[in-house]
Coordinates of all heavy atoms in Angstrom, one line a residue:
F1 N -60.3 74.9 83.0 CA -59.4 76.1 83.2 C -59.8 77.2 82.1 O -59.8 78.3 82.3 CB -58.0 75.7 83.1 CG -57.0 76.9 83.2 CD1 -56.8 77.6 84.4 CD2 -56.4 77.4 82.0 CE1 -55.9 78.6 84.4 CE2 -55.5 78.4 82.1 CZ -55.3 79.1 83.3
N2 N -60.0 76.7 80.8 CA -60.3 77.6 79.7 C -61.6 78.3 80.0 O -61.8 79.4 79.6 CB -60.3 76.8 78.4 CG -58.9 76.5 78.0 OD1 -57.9 77.0 78.4 ND2 -58.8 75.5 77.1
E3 N -62.5 77.6 80.6 CA -63.8 78.2 80.9 C -63.7 79.3 81.9 O -64.3 80.3 81.8 CB -64.8 77.1 81.4 CG -66.2 77.6 81.6 CD -67.1 76.5 82.1 OE1 -66.9 75.3 81.8 OE2 -68.1 76.9 82.8
L4 N -62.8 79.1 82.9 CA -62.6 80.1 83.9 C -62.0 81.3 83.3 O -62.3 82.5 83.6 CB -61.7 79.6 85.0 CG -61.3 80.5 86.1 CD1 -62.5 81.0 86.9 CD2 -60.3 79.9 87.1
V5 N -61.0 81.1 82.4 CA -60.3 82.2 81.7 C -61.4 83.0 80.9 O -61.4 84.2 80.8 CB -59.2 81.7 80.9 CG1 -58.6 82.9 80.0 CG2 -58.1 81.2 81.8
G6 N -62.2 82.3 80.2 CA -63.2 82.9 79.3 C -64.2 83.7 80.2 O -64.6 84.8 79.8
T7 N -64.6 83.2 81.4 CA -65.5 83.9 82.3 C -64.8 85.2 82.8 O -65.4 86.2 82.8 CB -65.9 83.0 83.4 OG1 -66.6 81.8 82.9 CG2 -66.8 83.7 84.4
L8 N -63.6 85.1 83.2 CA -62.8 86.3 83.7 C -62.7 87.3 82.6 O -62.8 88.5 82.8 CB -61.5 85.9 84.2 CG -61.4 85.1 85.5 CD1 -60.0 84.7 85.8 CD2 -62.0 86.0 86.6
H9 N -62.4 86.8 81.3 CA -62.3 87.7 80.2 C -63.7 88.5 80.0 O -63.7 89.7 79.8 CB -62.0 87.0 78.9 CG -61.9 87.8 77.7 ND1 -60.9 88.7 77.5 CD2 -62.7 87.9 76.6 CE1 -61.1 89.3 76.3 NE2 -62.2 88.8 75.8
N10 N -64.8 87.8 80.1 CA -66.1 88.4 79.9 C -66.4 89.4 81.1 O -66.9 90.5 80.8 CB -67.2 87.4 79.9 CG -67.2 86.5 78.6 OD1 -66.6 87.0 77.6 ND2 -67.8 85.4 78.6
I11 N -66.0 89.1 82.3 CA -66.2 90.0 83.4 C -65.4 91.2 83.2 O -65.9 92.4 83.4 CB -65.8 89.3 84.7 CG1 -66.9 88.2 85.1 CG2 -65.8 90.3 85.9 CD1 -66.5 87.3 86.2
I12 N -64.1 91.1 82.8 CA -63.3 92.3 82.6 C -63.8 93.1 81.5 O -63.9 94.4 81.6 CB -61.8 91.8 82.3 CG1 -61.2 91.2 83.5 CG2 -61.0 93.0 81.8 CD1 -59.9 90.5 83.3
A13 N -64.3 92.5 80.4 CA -64.9 93.3 79.3 C -66.2 94.1 79.8 O -66.4 95.2 79.5 CB -65.3 92.4 78.2
E14 N -67.0 93.4 80.7 CA -68.2 94.1 81.2 C -67.8 95.3 82.1 O -68.4 96.3 82.1 CB -69.1 93.1 81.9 CG -69.8 92.2 81.0 CD -70.7 91.2 81.7 OE1 -71.2 91.5 82.8 OE2 -70.9 90.0 81.2
V15 N -66.8 95.1 82.9 CA -66.3 96.1 83.8 C -65.8 97.3 83.0 O -66.1 98.5 83.3 CB -65.3 95.6 84.8 CG1 -64.6 96.7 85.6 CG2 -65.9 94.6 85.8
R16 N -65.0 97.0 82.0 CA -64.4 98.0 81.1 C -65.6 98.8 80.5 O -65.6 100.0 80.4 CB -63.5 97.4 80.1 CG -62.9 98.5 79.1 CD -62.1 97.9 78.1 NE -60.9 97.4 78.7 CZ -60.2 96.3 78.3 NH1 -60.6 95.6 77.3 NH2 -59.1 95.9 78.9
S17 N -66.6 98.1 79.9 CA -67.7 98.8 79.3 C -68.4 99.7 80.3 O -68.8 100.8 80.0 CB -68.6 97.7 78.7 OG -69.8 98.3 78.1
G18 N -68.7 99.1 81.5 CA -69.4 99.9 82.5 C -68.6 101.2 82.9 O -69.2 102.2 83.1
S19 N -67.3 101.0 83.0 CA -66.5 102.2 83.4 C -66.5 103.2 82.3 O -66.5 104.4 82.6 CB -65.1 101.8 83.8 OG -64.4 101.3 82.6
Q20 N -66.5 102.8 81.0 CA -66.6 103.7 79.9 C -67.9 104.5 79.9 O -68.0 105.7 79.6 CB -66.3 103.0 78.6 CG -64.9 102.6 78.4 CD -64.7 101.7 77.2 OE1 -65.7 101.1 76.6 NE2 -63.5 101.5 76.7
Q21 N -69.0 103.8 80.2 CA -70.3 104.4 80.3 C -70.3 105.4 81.4 O -70.9 106.5 81.3 CB -71.4 103.4 80.4 CG -71.6 102.5 79.2 CD -72.6 101.4 79.3 OE1 -73.2 101.3 80.4 NE2 -72.8 100.7 78.3
I22 N -69.7 105.1 82.6 CA -69.7 106.0 83.7 C -68.9 107.2 83.3 O -69.3 108.4 83.7 CB -69.1 105.3 85.0 CG1 -70.1 104.3 85.5 CG2 -68.8 106.3 86.0 CD1 -69.6 103.4 86.6
D23 N -67.8 107.0 82.7 CA -66.9 108.2 82.2 C -67.7 109.1 81.3 O -67.7 110.3 81.4 CB -65.7 107.7 81.5 CG -64.8 108.8 81.1 OD1 -64.4 109.7 81.9 OD2 -64.3 108.8 79.9
L24 N -68.4 108.5 80.3 CA -69.2 109.3 79.4 C -70.3 110.0 80.1 O -70.6 111.2 79.8 CB -69.8 108.4 78.3 CG -70.6 109.1 77.2 CD1 -69.7 110.0 76.4 CD2 -71.2 108.0 76.3
G25 N -71.0 109.4 81.1 CA -72.0 110.1 81.9 C -71.4 111.2 82.7 O -72.0 112.3 82.7
G26 N -70.2 111.0 83.2 CA -69.5 112.1 83.9 C -69.2 113.3 83.0 O -69.4 114.5 83.4
Q27 N -68.8 113.0 81.8 CA -68.6 114.1 80.8 C -69.8 114.9 80.5 O -69.8 116.1 80.4 CB -67.9 113.5 79.6 CG -66.5 113.0 79.7 CD -66.0 112.3 78.5 OE1 -66.6 112.4 77.4 NE2 -64.9 111.6 78.6
H28 N -71.0 114.2 80.4 CA -72.2 114.8 80.1 C -72.6 115.7 81.2 O -73.1 116.8 81.0 CB -73.3 113.8 79.8 CG -73.2 113.1 78.5 ND1 -73.3 113.8 77.3 CD2 -73.1 111.8 78.2 CE1 -73.2 112.9 76.3 NE2 -73.1 111.7 76.8
I29 N -72.4 115.2 82.5 CA -72.8 116.0 83.6 C -71.9 117.2 83.7 O -72.4 118.4 84.0 CB -72.7 115.1 84.9 CG1 -73.8 114.1 84.9 CG2 -72.7 116.0 86.2 CD1 -73.6 113.1 86.0
A30 N -70.6 117.1 83.4 CA -69.7 118.2 83.5 C -70.1 119.3 82.5 O -70.0 120.5 82.7 CB -68.2 117.7 83.2
N31 N -70.4 118.8 81.2 CA -70.8 119.8 80.2 C -72.1 120.5 80.6 O -72.2 121.7 80.4 CB -71.0 119.1 78.9 CG -69.7 118.6 78.3 OD1 -68.7 119.1 78.6 ND2 -69.8 117.6 77.4
A32 N -73.1 119.8 81.1 CA -74.3 120.4 81.6 C -74.1 121.4 82.7 O -74.7 122.5 82.7 CB -75.3 119.3 82.0
S33 N -73.2 121.1 83.6 CA -72.9 122.0 84.7 C -72.2 123.2 84.2 O -72.5 124.3 84.7 CB -71.9 121.3 85.7 OG -72.6 120.2 86.3
Q34 N -71.3 123.1 83.2 CA -70.7 124.3 82.7 C -71.7 125.2 81.9 O -71.6 126.4 82.1 CB -69.6 123.8 81.7 CG -68.7 124.9 81.2 CD -67.5 124.4 80.4 OE1 -67.6 123.4 79.8 NE2 -66.5 125.2 80.3
Q35 N -72.6 124.6 81.2 CA -73.6 125.4 80.5 C -74.5 126.1 81.5 O -74.9 127.2 81.3 CB -74.5 124.5 79.6 CG -73.7 124.0 78.4 CD -74.5 123.0 77.6 OE1 -75.6 122.5 78.0 NE2 -74.0 122.6 76.4
L36 N -74.9 125.4 82.6 CA -75.7 126.0 83.6 C -75.0 127.2 84.3 O -75.6 128.2 84.5 CB -76.1 124.9 84.7 CG -77.0 125.4 85.8 CD1 -78.3 125.9 85.3 CD2 -77.2 124.2 86.8
A37 N -73.7 127.0 84.6 CA -72.9 128.1 85.2 C -72.9 129.3 84.3 O -73.0 130.4 84.7 CB -71.5 127.6 85.6
S38 N -72.7 129.0 83.0 CA -72.6 130.1 82.0 C -73.9 130.8 82.0 O -74.0 132.1 81.9 CB -72.2 129.5 80.7 OG -72.2 130.5 79.7
A39 N -75.0 130.1 81.9 CA -76.3 130.7 81.9 C -76.6 131.5 83.2 O -77.2 132.6 83.1 CB -77.4 129.7 81.7
A40 N -76.2 131.0 84.3 CA -76.4 131.7 85.6 C -75.6 133.0 85.6 O -76.1 134.0 86.1 CB -76.0 130.8 86.7
S41 N -74.4 133.0 85.1 CA -73.6 134.1 85.0 C -74.2 135.2 84.1 O -74.2 136.4 84.4 CB -72.2 133.8 84.5 OG -71.3 134.9 84.4
E42 N -74.7 134.8 83.0 CA -75.4 135.7 82.0 C -76.6 136.3 82.7 O -76.8 137.5 82.6 CB -75.7 135.0 80.8 CG -76.3 135.9 79.7 CD -76.6 135.2 78.4 OE1 -76.1 134.1 78.2 OE2 -77.4 135.7 77.6
Q43 N -77.4 135.5 83.4 CA -78.6 136.1 84.1 C -78.1 137.1 85.1 O -78.8 138.1 85.3 CB -79.4 135.0 84.7 CG -80.2 134.2 83.7 CD -81.1 133.2 84.4 OE1 -80.9 132.8 85.5 NE2 -82.2 132.8 83.8
A44 N -77.1 136.8 85.9 CA -76.6 137.7 86.9 C -76.2 139.1 86.3 O -76.5 140.1 86.8 CB -75.5 137.1 87.7
S45 N -75.5 139.0 85.1 CA -75.1 140.2 84.4 C -76.3 141.0 84.0 O -76.4 142.2 84.1 CB -74.2 139.8 83.2 OG -73.9 140.9 82.5
N46 N -77.3 140.3 83.4 CA -78.5 141.0 83.0 C -79.3 141.6 84.2 O -79.8 142.7 84.0 CB -79.5 140.0 82.3 CG -79.0 139.5 80.9 OD1 -78.1 140.2 80.3 ND2 -79.4 138.4 80.5
L47 N -79.3 140.9 85.3 CA -80.0 141.5 86.5 C -79.2 142.7 87.0 O -79.9 143.7 87.4 CB -80.1 140.5 87.6 CG -81.1 139.4 87.4 CD1 -81.0 138.3 88.5 CD2 -82.5 140.0 87.4
Q48 N -77.9 142.7 86.9 CA -77.1 143.9 87.3 C -77.5 145.1 86.4 O -77.6 146.2 86.8 CB -75.6 143.6 87.3 CG -75.2 142.8 88.4 CD -73.7 142.4 88.3 OE1 -73.1 142.5 87.2 NE2 -73.1 142.1 89.5
S49 N -77.6 144.8 85.1 CA -77.9 145.9 84.1 C -79.3 146.4 84.4 O -79.5 147.7 84.4 CB -77.9 145.4 82.7 OG -76.6 145.0 82.3
I50 N -80.3 145.6 84.7 CA -81.6 146.0 85.0 C -81.6 146.8 86.3 O -82.3 147.9 86.3 CB -82.6 144.8 85.1 CG1 -82.8 144.1 83.7 CG2 -83.9 145.2 85.7 CD1 -83.5 142.8 83.7
S51 N -80.9 146.3 87.3 CA -80.9 147.1 88.5 C -80.3 148.4 88.3 O -80.8 149.4 88.9 CB -80.0 146.3 89.5 OG -79.9 147.0 90.7
A52 N -79.2 148.6 87.6 CA -78.6 149.9 87.3 C -79.5 150.8 86.6 O -79.6 152.0 86.9 CB -77.3 149.7 86.5
S53 N -80.3 150.2 85.6 CA -81.3 151.0 84.9 C -82.4 151.5 85.8 O -82.8 152.7 85.7 CB -81.9 150.2 83.7 OG -80.9 149.9 82.8
L54 N -82.9 150.6 86.6 CA -83.9 151.0 87.6 C -83.4 152.1 88.5 O -84.2 153.1 88.9 CB -84.4 149.8 88.3 CG -85.3 148.9 87.5 CD1 -85.6 147.6 88.3 CD2 -86.6 149.5 87.0
E55 N -82.2 151.9 89.0 CA -81.6 152.9 89.9 C -81.5 154.3 89.2 O -81.8 155.3 89.8 CB -80.3 152.5 90.4 CG -79.7 153.3 91.5 CD -78.4 152.7 92.0 OE1 -78.3 151.5 92.1 OE2 -77.5 153.5 92.4
E56 N -81.1 154.3 88.0 CA -80.9 155.5 87.2 C -82.3 156.1 87.0 O -82.4 157.4 87.1 CB -80.3 155.2 85.9 CG -80.0 156.4 85.0 CD -79.3 156.1 83.7 OE1 -78.5 155.2 83.7 OE2 -79.6 156.8 82.7
M57 N -83.3 155.3 86.7 CA -84.6 155.9 86.4 C -85.3 156.4 87.7 O -86.2 157.2 87.6 CB -85.5 154.8 85.8 CG -85.1 154.4 84.4 SD -86.0 153.0 83.7 CE -87.6 153.2 84.1
S58 N -84.8 156.0 88.9 CA -85.4 156.5 90.1 C -84.6 157.6 90.7 O -85.0 158.1 91.8 CB -85.6 155.4 91.1 OG -84.3 154.9 91.5
S59 N -83.6 158.1 90.0 CA -82.8 159.2 90.5 C -83.5 160.5 90.4 O -84.4 160.7 89.5 CB -81.5 159.3 89.7 OG -81.7 159.8 88.4
P60 N -83.3 161.4 91.3 CA -84.0 162.7 91.2 C -83.8 163.4 89.9 O -84.7 164.1 89.4 CB -83.4 163.5 92.4 CG -82.9 162.4 93.3 CD -82.5 161.3 92.5
A61 N -82.6 163.4 89.4 CA -82.3 164.1 88.1 C -83.2 163.5 87.0 O -83.8 164.3 86.2 CB -80.9 164.0 87.7
F62 N -83.3 162.2 86.9 CA -84.2 161.6 85.9 C -85.6 162.0 86.1 O -86.3 162.3 85.1 CB -84.0 160.1 85.9 CG -84.7 159.4 84.8 CD1 -84.3 159.4 83.5 CD2 -85.9 158.7 85.0 CE1 -85.0 158.8 82.5 CE2 -86.6 158.1 84.0 CZ -86.1 158.1 82.7
L63 N -86.1 161.9 87.3 CA -87.5 162.2 87.6 C -87.8 163.7 87.3 O -88.8 164.0 86.7 CB -87.8 161.9 89.1 CG -87.8 160.4 89.4 CD1 -88.0 160.2 90.9 CD2 -88.8 159.6 88.6
D64 N -86.8 164.6 87.6 CA -87.0 166.0 87.2 C -87.1 166.1 85.7 O -87.9 166.9 85.2 CB -85.9 166.8 87.7 CG -85.9 167.0 89.3 OD1 -87.0 166.7 89.8 OD2 -84.9 167.4 89.8
W65 N -86.2 165.4 85.0 CA -86.2 165.5 83.5 C -87.6 165.0 82.9 O -88.1 165.6 82.0 CB -85.1 164.6 83.0 CG -85.0 164.6 81.5 CD1 -84.5 165.6 80.6 CD2 -85.4 163.5 80.6 NE1 -84.6 165.2 79.3 CE2 -85.1 163.9 79.3 CE3 -85.9 162.2 80.9 CZ2 -85.4 163.1 78.2 CZ3 -86.1 161.4 79.8 CH2 -85.9 161.8 78.5
I66 N -88.1 163.9 83.5 CA -89.4 163.4 83.1 C -90.5 164.4 83.3 O -91.4 164.6 82.5 CB -89.7 162.0 83.8 CG1 -88.8 160.9 83.3 CG2 -91.2 161.6 83.6 CD1 -88.9 160.5 81.9
M67 N -90.5 165.0 84.5 CA -91.6 165.9 84.9 C -91.5 167.2 84.1 O -92.5 167.9 83.9 CB -91.5 166.2 86.4 CG -91.7 165.1 87.2 SD -93.4 164.4 86.9 CE -93.6 163.5 88.4
A68 N -90.3 167.5 83.5 CA -90.1 168.7 82.7 C -90.9 168.7 81.4 O -91.2 169.7 80.8 CB -88.7 169.0 82.6
D69 N -91.0 167.5 80.9 CA -91.7 167.3 79.6 C -93.2 167.5 79.7 O -94.1 167.6 80.1 CB -91.4 166.0 79.0 CG -90.0 165.9 78.4 OD1 -89.4 167.0 78.2 OD2 -89.5 164.8 78.2

């Protein structure tokens, strides 16, 4: 009987350890996902700025100003 209890105790300890490792892995994945989302948002903002600048540079008023020099 004591051997069975010891075996069950070891199994429970292994399951607990495994679940803690899975939890930690999930936290790492969540952090990486958050960083990726933040970087994607920053890139989108930069692209909008570039697009606005290009649109401004291709406007007739800007082209006339460039040609005047």
Side-chain angles (χ1 to χ4, degrees):
F1 178 75
N2 288 340
E3 185 178 331
L4 178 62
V5 171
T7 300
L8 286 174
H9 177 71
N10 290 340
I11 290 171
I12 291 169
E14 287 181 31
V15 169
R16 179 181 292 148
S17 175
S19 67
Q20 289 172 342
Q21 290 176 0
I22 290 170
D23 182 51
L24 184 60
Q27 290 174 13
H28 287 300
I29 290 170
N31 289 339
S33 295
Q34 189 174 25
Q35 290 174 352
L36 182 60
S38 177
S41 178
E42 185 177 341
Q43 282 187 336
S45 176
N46 289 340
L47 285 173
Q48 286 177 338
S49 295
I50 291 168
S51 178
S53 296
L54 288 172
E55 188 174 326
E56 184 179 324
M57 289 171 46
S58 64
S59 72
F62 183 77
L63 293 175
D64 288 343
W65 179 75
I66 292 291
M67 295 300 198
D69 284 344

